[in-house]
Amino acid sequence: MKKECIAMLLAGGQGSRLYVLTGDMAKPAVPFGGKYRIIDFPLSNCSNSGIDTVGVLTQYRPLELNSYIGSGQPWDLDVTTGGVHILPPYMGSKGGTWYKGTANAIYQNIGFIDMYDPEYVVILSGDHIYKMDYSQMITRHKEANAACTISVMEVPWDEAPRFGIMSVNDEDMITEFAEKPKEPKSNLASMGIYVFSWKVLRQYLTDDEADPTSENDFGKNIIPGMLRDGQRMAAYRFEGYWKDVGTLESLWDANMDMLSIESGLDVADESWPIYARSLSAPPAFLGRTAVVKHSAFNRGSYINGTVENSVLSPDVTVGEGARVSYSVVLPGTVIEPGAVVEYAILGEGCRVGKNCRVGAAPETTAPESWGLTVLAPHCELADERVVRPGVMLDRAGEEVSK
């Protein structure tokens, strides 16, 4: 059952910066782009890159994610000699713990990796929106004779302090790594996508686990340790679309980017398809009063109002005279007649009462008081309620702080 390469997908994060949207599910399970979930992107990248063995490391509220992935069939990852495997923390004969960090999560699954005896292991995050051919990154790793290859992309210099920053030599071999430096020496940011030679990584994981002072993290411990030891570490430059959707603003941005060809995020590109579990729902219905402009909507949608520059998930209802603009509406939400929703993210199963006003356009509000308006899943608003911009409501419709 030996494999040249397998992938390990870190999908256990709570997603605390998505606040109410991840109260009942892990961040990678959050719906995205109408018919997808965030985890569809790395899973599809694996399938398209020829990687047929993927371990998905779950932890925080894994039920919905586990159910969604199932056998891996939508991503062609249901093969008998590999496939997709859900890997939660587990109890062993010596006890067990939650995953303490990204490196510890992989350490706890050394037995799973050893079962396939791979030459290379690709480490992925479950909260990024992008298309990447991992086979090209693996080729770079081989040609550089590297112990570790890190995918990097150039970011604006003023944003560099938010990232792990790489310095490289003339051959794009990594010479320095700084985690969120105040004064960055480079603008090459780590994307949190790694290729490791497994024998080397296995030893570092074992040593890291034995160090009581370690935070058991790739960026804080494993990568700096390998650099200090003089291991060959290569940079792999990526120039396509990539976004970490770990915040409400970045999640909204990425959904809006999907509506723009210029952004580089083309989910309809058949040469690199993004697969998703198919939904059992009737075709969308657009009534005689429906107006839809520059928006995405999906099966089960029932639209009688106006939808502009928005992304609607399946089973969304927009009543007559209602207007939705620059918003992301997750599955099963009902927007009653006459309601106005602007610059908002509405969680799954929300109900916005008749003639409500949710959010507002930036130009209508003072800059210091404007922001995205967010409703938690299953939040219900009484008729004619006004929810001002920048507010977040919990399931009971009460304001909570971001």
Side-chain angles (χ1 to χ4, degrees):
M1 209 190 296
K2 181 177 175 62
K3 298 280 184 179
E4 182 187 35
C5 179
I6 71 170
M8 299 294 278
L9 176 52
L10 298 163
Q14 179 178 353
S16 58
R17 292 177 299 161
L18 292 180
Y19 300 96
V20 295
L21 295 184
T22 50
D24 294 321
M25 70 179 78
K27 181 166 49 175
V30 170
F32 174 82
K35 68 177 184 178
Y36 306 102
R37 292 182 185 252
I38 295 171
I39 200 167
D40 288 330
F41 287 80
L43 286 177
S44 297
N45 287 339
C46 286
S47 179
N48 293 331
S49 301
I51 298 174
D52 65 3
T53 304
V54 183
V56 180
L57 284 66
T58 63
Q59 178 161 276
Y60 173 79
R61 293 195 178 274
L63 184 61
E64 187 154 0
L65 191 61
N66 295 357
S67 175
Y68 182 73
I69 293 173
S71 67
Q73 184 272 331
W75 307 273
D76 199 24
L77 291 172
D78 55 345
V79 295
T80 55
T81 57
V84 64
H85 301 262
I86 304 296
L87 303 172
Y90 61 89
M91 295 291 289
S93 60
K94 298 181 181 179
T97 64
W98 290 110
Y99 294 143
K100 293 179 289 185
T102 53
N104 173 258
I106 303 301
Y107 172 83
Q108 286 199 37
N109 289 284
I110 281 178
F112 170 80
I113 300 173
D114 280 345
M115 190 166 63
Y116 293 98
D117 190 23
E119 292 290 327
Y120 312 106
V121 174
V122 181
I123 308 293
L124 307 170
S125 295
D127 53 0
H128 299 161
I129 300 297
Y130 67 111
K131 294 181 174 186
M132 179 188 285
D133 187 345
Y134 302 136
S135 67
Q136 294 182 4
M137 187 174 173
I138 294 166
T139 297
R140 161 70 174 151
H141 181 82
K142 293 177 182 177
E143 290 176 347
N145 191 28
C148 171
T149 298
I150 301 175
S151 184
V152 299
M153 65 185 304
E154 292 188 9
V155 298
W157 278 92
D158 60 340
E159 292 184 21
R162 294 174 42 226
F163 295 91
I165 294 297
M166 307 290 168
S167 297
V168 297
N169 62 18
D170 293 342
E171 297 178 340
D172 266 354
M173 300 300 289
I174 298 167
T175 57
E176 284 186 69
F177 172 75
E179 183 73 25
K180 299 181 180 178
K182 291 182 179 179
E183 296 182 3
K185 297 180 181 179
S186 159
N187 67 335
L188 279 182
S190 168
M191 298 166 63
I193 301 165
Y194 313 114
V195 175
F196 287 96
S197 297
W198 173 233
K199 289 181 180 178
V200 178
L201 176 60
R202 194 184 194 284
Q203 187 61 56
Y204 274 89
L205 291 174
T206 303
D207 294 345
D208 180 71
E209 189 65 21
D211 179 0
T213 67
S214 176
E215 295 183 52
N216 307 123
D217 183 83
F218 277 102
K220 295 176 182 177
N221 305 108
I222 302 295
I223 303 300
M226 294 180 76
L227 268 175
R228 281 195 303 270
D229 293 345
Q231 295 283 355
R232 286 184 60 80
M233 306 186 72
Y236 173 74
R237 292 179 183 258
F238 180 72
E239 297 179 351
Y241 181 94
W242 177 84
K243 189 176 286 288
D244 179 338
V245 288
T247 66
L248 293 167
E249 290 74 17
S250 61
L251 180 64
W252 182 87
D253 282 343
N255 274 276
M256 294 300 110
D257 287 343
M258 194 197 70
L259 299 176
S260 171
I261 295 175
E262 291 77 17
S263 73
L265 178 58
D266 183 4
V267 294
D269 178 10
E270 294 184 0
S271 69
W272 197 266
I274 301 300
Y275 304 105
R277 184 166 292 284
S278 59
L279 181 83
S280 177
F285 173 82
L286 273 64
R288 59 182 179 79
T289 56
V291 177
V292 179
K293 299 179 180 177
H294 196 240
S295 296
F297 60 91
N298 286 275
R299 296 182 67 87
S301 294
Y302 192 94
I303 302 173
N304 269 311
T306 297
V307 179
E308 301 173 307
N309 302 300
S310 294
V311 176
L312 273 55
S313 294
D315 294 320
V316 167
T317 298
V318 180
E320 188 169 350
R323 179 166 60 86
V324 180
S325 61
Y326 291 97
S327 293
V328 178
V329 185
L330 301 189
T333 288
V334 175
I335 300 167
E336 299 276 11
V340 176
V341 177
E342 297 182 291
Y343 289 86
I345 302 177
L346 308 188
E348 296 187 55
C350 288
R351 179 173 291 271
V352 178
K354 294 178 181 178
N355 301 315
C356 283
R357 289 199 63 92
V358 178
E363 59 269 19
T364 66
T365 310
E368 63 274 8
S369 60
W370 185 85
L372 288 174
T373 305
V374 182
L375 304 190
H378 307 291
C379 177
E380 297 194 8
L381 302 183
D383 293 351
E384 300 187 357
R385 180 169 174 180
V386 176
V387 183
R388 67 185 188 278
V391 166
M392 181 165 61
L393 301 185
D394 64 15
R395 185 169 184 163
E398 303 292 331
E399 288 191 23
V400 291
S401 59
K402 291 183 183 178

PDB file of all heavy atoms in Angstrom, residues 96-116:
ATOM      1  N   GLY A  96      -4.793  10.024  26.001  1.00  0.00           N
ATOM      2  CA  GLY A  96      -4.875  10.810  24.777  1.00  0.00           C
ATOM      3  C   GLY A  96      -5.191  12.256  25.095  1.00  0.00           C
ATOM      4  O   GLY A  96      -5.579  12.592  26.212  1.00  0.00           O
ATOM      5  N   THR A  97      -4.984  13.120  24.137  1.00  0.00           N
ATOM      6  CA  THR A  97      -5.256  14.539  24.329  1.00  0.00           C
ATOM      7  C   THR A  97      -5.868  15.099  23.057  1.00  0.00           C
ATOM      8  O   THR A  97      -5.796  14.508  21.978  1.00  0.00           O
ATOM      9  CB  THR A  97      -3.966  15.332  24.621  1.00  0.00           C
ATOM     10  OG1 THR A  97      -3.101  15.259  23.466  1.00  0.00           O
ATOM     11  CG2 THR A  97      -3.240  14.792  25.833  1.00  0.00           C
ATOM     12  N   TRP A  98      -6.467  16.283  23.185  1.00  0.00           N
ATOM     13  CA  TRP A  98      -6.849  17.026  22.000  1.00  0.00           C
ATOM     14  C   TRP A  98      -5.570  17.384  21.247  1.00  0.00           C
ATOM     15  O   TRP A  98      -4.481  17.414  21.827  1.00  0.00           O
ATOM     16  CB  TRP A  98      -7.583  18.317  22.386  1.00  0.00           C
ATOM     17  CG  TRP A  98      -8.942  18.104  22.958  1.00  0.00           C
ATOM     18  CD1 TRP A  98      -9.333  18.301  24.247  1.00  0.00           C
ATOM     19  CD2 TRP A  98     -10.109  17.667  22.251  1.00  0.00           C
ATOM     20  NE1 TRP A  98     -10.658  18.005  24.394  1.00  0.00           N
ATOM     21  CE2 TRP A  98     -11.163  17.613  23.179  1.00  0.00           C
ATOM     22  CE3 TRP A  98     -10.366  17.314  20.924  1.00  0.00           C
ATOM     23  CZ2 TRP A  98     -12.445  17.217  22.838  1.00  0.00           C
ATOM     24  CZ3 TRP A  98     -11.637  16.916  20.574  1.00  0.00           C
ATOM     25  CH2 TRP A  98     -12.667  16.873  21.514  1.00  0.00           C
ATOM     26  N   TYR A  99      -5.717  17.683  19.957  1.00  0.00           N
ATOM     27  CA  TYR A  99      -4.563  18.169  19.215  1.00  0.00           C
ATOM     28  C   TYR A  99      -4.092  19.476  19.850  1.00  0.00           C
ATOM     29  O   TYR A  99      -4.848  20.432  19.963  1.00  0.00           O
ATOM     30  CB  TYR A  99      -4.940  18.401  17.753  1.00  0.00           C
ATOM     31  CG  TYR A  99      -5.293  17.140  16.995  1.00  0.00           C
ATOM     32  CD1 TYR A  99      -6.309  17.153  16.032  1.00  0.00           C
ATOM     33  CD2 TYR A  99      -4.614  15.947  17.207  1.00  0.00           C
ATOM     34  CE1 TYR A  99      -6.638  16.011  15.315  1.00  0.00           C
ATOM     35  CE2 TYR A  99      -4.934  14.798  16.501  1.00  0.00           C
ATOM     36  CZ  TYR A  99      -5.950  14.836  15.559  1.00  0.00           C
ATOM     37  OH  TYR A  99      -6.279  13.697  14.850  1.00  0.00           O
ATOM     38  N   LYS A 100      -2.832  19.515  20.265  1.00  0.00           N
ATOM     39  CA  LYS A 100      -2.302  20.686  20.969  1.00  0.00           C
ATOM     40  C   LYS A 100      -1.821  21.765  20.020  1.00  0.00           C
ATOM     41  O   LYS A 100      -1.670  22.924  20.408  1.00  0.00           O
ATOM     42  CB  LYS A 100      -1.156  20.242  21.899  1.00  0.00           C
ATOM     43  CG  LYS A 100      -1.607  19.356  23.050  1.00  0.00           C
ATOM     44  CD  LYS A 100      -0.429  18.935  23.912  1.00  0.00           C
ATOM     45  CE  LYS A 100       0.477  17.933  23.206  1.00  0.00           C
ATOM     46  NZ  LYS A 100       1.563  17.432  24.093  1.00  0.00           N
ATOM     47  N   GLY A 101      -1.525  21.420  18.798  1.00  0.00           N
ATOM     48  CA  GLY A 101      -1.033  22.361  17.808  1.00  0.00           C
ATOM     49  C   GLY A 101      -0.947  21.645  16.483  1.00  0.00           C
ATOM     50  O   GLY A 101      -1.198  20.439  16.391  1.00  0.00           O
ATOM     51  N   THR A 102      -0.583  22.377  15.445  1.00  0.00           N
ATOM     52  CA  THR A 102      -0.563  21.765  14.111  1.00  0.00           C
ATOM     53  C   THR A 102       0.429  20.615  14.030  1.00  0.00           C
ATOM     54  O   THR A 102       0.147  19.575  13.424  1.00  0.00           O
ATOM     55  CB  THR A 102      -0.228  22.829  13.053  1.00  0.00           C
ATOM     56  OG1 THR A 102       0.976  23.516  13.428  1.00  0.00           O
ATOM     57  CG2 THR A 102      -1.364  23.846  12.929  1.00  0.00           C
ATOM     58  N   ALA A 103       1.589  20.776  14.656  1.00  0.00           N
ATOM     59  CA  ALA A 103       2.593  19.711  14.605  1.00  0.00           C
ATOM     60  C   ALA A 103       2.150  18.507  15.437  1.00  0.00           C
ATOM     61  O   ALA A 103       2.331  17.352  15.029  1.00  0.00           O
ATOM     62  CB  ALA A 103       3.949  20.230  15.096  1.00  0.00           C
ATOM     63  N   ASN A 104       1.553  18.764  16.590  1.00  0.00           N
ATOM     64  CA  ASN A 104       1.073  17.669  17.420  1.00  0.00           C
ATOM     65  C   ASN A 104      -0.040  16.884  16.728  1.00  0.00           C
ATOM     66  O   ASN A 104      -0.147  15.661  16.883  1.00  0.00           O
ATOM     67  CB  ASN A 104       0.575  18.206  18.774  1.00  0.00           C
ATOM     68  CG  ASN A 104      -0.081  17.126  19.615  1.00  0.00           C
ATOM     69  OD1 ASN A 104      -1.315  17.063  19.691  1.00  0.00           O
ATOM     70  ND2 ASN A 104       0.719  16.275  20.235  1.00  0.00           N
ATOM     71  N   ALA A 105      -0.872  17.583  15.937  1.00  0.00           N
ATOM     72  CA  ALA A 105      -1.938  16.901  15.207  1.00  0.00           C
ATOM     73  C   ALA A 105      -1.356  15.875  14.236  1.00  0.00           C
ATOM     74  O   ALA A 105      -1.851  14.747  14.121  1.00  0.00           O
ATOM     75  CB  ALA A 105      -2.787  17.923  14.458  1.00  0.00           C
ATOM     76  N   ILE A 106      -0.276  16.246  13.554  1.00  0.00           N
ATOM     77  CA  ILE A 106       0.369  15.302  12.641  1.00  0.00           C
ATOM     78  C   ILE A 106       1.081  14.207  13.442  1.00  0.00           C
ATOM     79  O   ILE A 106       1.016  13.021  13.086  1.00  0.00           O
ATOM     80  CB  ILE A 106       1.363  16.029  11.715  1.00  0.00           C
ATOM     81  CG1 ILE A 106       0.651  17.136  10.918  1.00  0.00           C
ATOM     82  CG2 ILE A 106       2.016  15.037  10.749  1.00  0.00           C
ATOM     83  CD1 ILE A 106      -0.492  16.672  10.045  1.00  0.00           C
ATOM     84  N   TYR A 107       1.726  14.592  14.536  1.00  0.00           N
ATOM     85  CA  TYR A 107       2.421  13.606  15.373  1.00  0.00           C
ATOM     86  C   TYR A 107       1.463  12.511  15.839  1.00  0.00           C
ATOM     87  O   TYR A 107       1.807  11.323  15.821  1.00  0.00           O
ATOM     88  CB  TYR A 107       3.054  14.297  16.582  1.00  0.00           C
ATOM     89  CG  TYR A 107       3.622  13.323  17.592  1.00  0.00           C
ATOM     90  CD1 TYR A 107       4.892  12.773  17.411  1.00  0.00           C
ATOM     91  CD2 TYR A 107       2.883  12.929  18.711  1.00  0.00           C
ATOM     92  CE1 TYR A 107       5.409  11.857  18.321  1.00  0.00           C
ATOM     93  CE2 TYR A 107       3.391  12.023  19.623  1.00  0.00           C
ATOM     94  CZ  TYR A 107       4.651  11.485  19.423  1.00  0.00           C
ATOM     95  OH  TYR A 107       5.152  10.569  20.312  1.00  0.00           O
ATOM     96  N   GLN A 108       0.270  12.905  16.266  1.00  0.00           N
ATOM     97  CA  GLN A 108      -0.693  11.919  16.756  1.00  0.00           C
ATOM     98  C   GLN A 108      -1.130  10.940  15.659  1.00  0.00           C
ATOM     99  O   GLN A 108      -1.702   9.889  15.963  1.00  0.00           O
ATOM    100  CB  GLN A 108      -1.924  12.605  17.352  1.00  0.00           C
ATOM    101  CG  GLN A 108      -1.690  13.240  18.699  1.00  0.00           C
ATOM    102  CD  GLN A 108      -2.990  13.498  19.443  1.00  0.00           C
ATOM    103  OE1 GLN A 108      -3.922  12.704  19.379  1.00  0.00           O
ATOM    104  NE2 GLN A 108      -3.053  14.612  20.161  1.00  0.00           N
ATOM    105  N   ASN A 109      -0.865  11.282  14.414  1.00  0.00           N
ATOM    106  CA  ASN A 109      -1.275  10.417  13.308  1.00  0.00           C
ATOM    107  C   ASN A 109      -0.091   9.830  12.539  1.00  0.00           C
ATOM    108  O   ASN A 109      -0.226   9.461  11.372  1.00  0.00           O
ATOM    109  CB  ASN A 109      -2.201  11.198  12.364  1.00  0.00           C
ATOM    110  CG  ASN A 109      -3.557  11.452  13.000  1.00  0.00           C
ATOM    111  OD1 ASN A 109      -4.394  10.560  13.088  1.00  0.00           O
ATOM    112  ND2 ASN A 109      -3.752  12.679  13.472  1.00  0.00           N
ATOM    113  N   ILE A 110       1.062   9.724  13.217  1.00  0.00           N
ATOM    114  CA  ILE A 110       2.234   9.106  12.591  1.00  0.00           C
ATOM    115  C   ILE A 110       1.908   7.678  12.140  1.00  0.00           C
ATOM    116  O   ILE A 110       2.328   7.243  11.060  1.00  0.00           O
ATOM    117  CB  ILE A 110       3.432   9.123  13.572  1.00  0.00           C
ATOM    118  CG1 ILE A 110       4.070  10.519  13.580  1.00  0.00           C
ATOM    119  CG2 ILE A 110       4.478   8.072  13.184  1.00  0.00           C
ATOM    120  CD1 ILE A 110       5.245  10.659  14.546  1.00  0.00           C
ATOM    121  N   GLY A 111       1.141   6.968  12.939  1.00  0.00           N
ATOM    122  CA  GLY A 111       0.785   5.594  12.580  1.00  0.00           C
ATOM    123  C   GLY A 111       0.014   5.519  11.282  1.00  0.00           C
ATOM    124  O   GLY A 111       0.240   4.613  10.459  1.00  0.00           O
ATOM    125  N   PHE A 112      -0.900   6.469  11.069  1.00  0.00           N
ATOM    126  CA  PHE A 112      -1.660   6.512   9.817  1.00  0.00           C
ATOM    127  C   PHE A 112      -0.726   6.761   8.636  1.00  0.00           C
ATOM    128  O   PHE A 112      -0.819   6.095   7.596  1.00  0.00           O
ATOM    129  CB  PHE A 112      -2.725   7.611   9.884  1.00  0.00           C
ATOM    130  CG  PHE A 112      -3.404   7.890   8.576  1.00  0.00           C
ATOM    131  CD1 PHE A 112      -4.422   7.075   8.113  1.00  0.00           C
ATOM    132  CD2 PHE A 112      -3.012   8.966   7.789  1.00  0.00           C
ATOM    133  CE1 PHE A 112      -5.052   7.330   6.902  1.00  0.00           C
ATOM    134  CE2 PHE A 112      -3.622   9.234   6.574  1.00  0.00           C
ATOM    135  CZ  PHE A 112      -4.645   8.403   6.125  1.00  0.00           C
ATOM    136  N   ILE A 113       0.191   7.702   8.784  1.00  0.00           N
ATOM    137  CA  ILE A 113       1.106   8.026   7.687  1.00  0.00           C
ATOM    138  C   ILE A 113       2.031   6.843   7.407  1.00  0.00           C
ATOM    139  O   ILE A 113       2.256   6.465   6.247  1.00  0.00           O
ATOM    140  CB  ILE A 113       1.906   9.306   8.012  1.00  0.00           C
ATOM    141  CG1 ILE A 113       0.956  10.485   8.221  1.00  0.00           C
ATOM    142  CG2 ILE A 113       2.899   9.622   6.888  1.00  0.00           C
ATOM    143  CD1 ILE A 113       1.633  11.756   8.712  1.00  0.00           C
ATOM    144  N   ASP A 114       2.562   6.251   8.461  1.00  0.00           N
ATOM    145  CA  ASP A 114       3.473   5.112   8.290  1.00  0.00           C
ATOM    146  C   ASP A 114       2.811   3.952   7.538  1.00  0.00           C
ATOM    147  O   ASP A 114       3.482   3.177   6.855  1.00  0.00           O
ATOM    148  CB  ASP A 114       3.955   4.609   9.656  1.00  0.00           C
ATOM    149  CG  ASP A 114       5.075   5.470  10.231  1.00  0.00           C
ATOM    150  OD1 ASP A 114       5.661   6.272   9.470  1.00  0.00           O
ATOM    151  OD2 ASP A 114       5.367   5.332  11.437  1.00  0.00           O
ATOM    152  N   MET A 115       1.503   3.834   7.675  1.00  0.00           N
ATOM    153  CA  MET A 115       0.778   2.759   7.008  1.00  0.00           C
ATOM    154  C   MET A 115       0.967   2.828   5.487  1.00  0.00           C
ATOM    155  O   MET A 115       0.941   1.813   4.801  1.00  0.00           O
ATOM    156  CB  MET A 115      -0.713   2.864   7.362  1.00  0.00           C
ATOM    157  CG  MET A 115      -1.569   1.700   6.937  1.00  0.00           C
ATOM    158  SD  MET A 115      -3.182   1.748   7.768  1.00  0.00           S
ATOM    159  CE  MET A 115      -3.847   3.293   7.129  1.00  0.00           C
ATOM    160  N   TYR A 116       1.182   4.047   4.968  1.00  0.00           N
ATOM    161  CA  TYR A 116       1.362   4.233   3.525  1.00  0.00           C
ATOM    162  C   TYR A 116       2.834   4.404   3.148  1.00  0.00           C
ATOM    163  O   TYR A 116       3.152   4.484   1.955  1.00  0.00           O
ATOM    164  CB  TYR A 116       0.544   5.439   3.042  1.00  0.00           C
ATOM    165  CG  TYR A 116      -0.943   5.200   3.161  1.00  0.00           C
ATOM    166  CD1 TYR A 116      -1.658   5.687   4.244  1.00  0.00           C
ATOM    167  CD2 TYR A 116      -1.627   4.450   2.214  1.00  0.00           C
ATOM    168  CE1 TYR A 116      -3.020   5.453   4.375  1.00  0.00           C
ATOM    169  CE2 TYR A 116      -2.982   4.213   2.328  1.00  0.00           C
ATOM    170  CZ  TYR A 116      -3.673   4.714   3.408  1.00  0.00           C
ATOM    171  OH  TYR A 116      -5.025   4.464   3.529  1.00  0.00           O
TER     172      TYR A 116
END
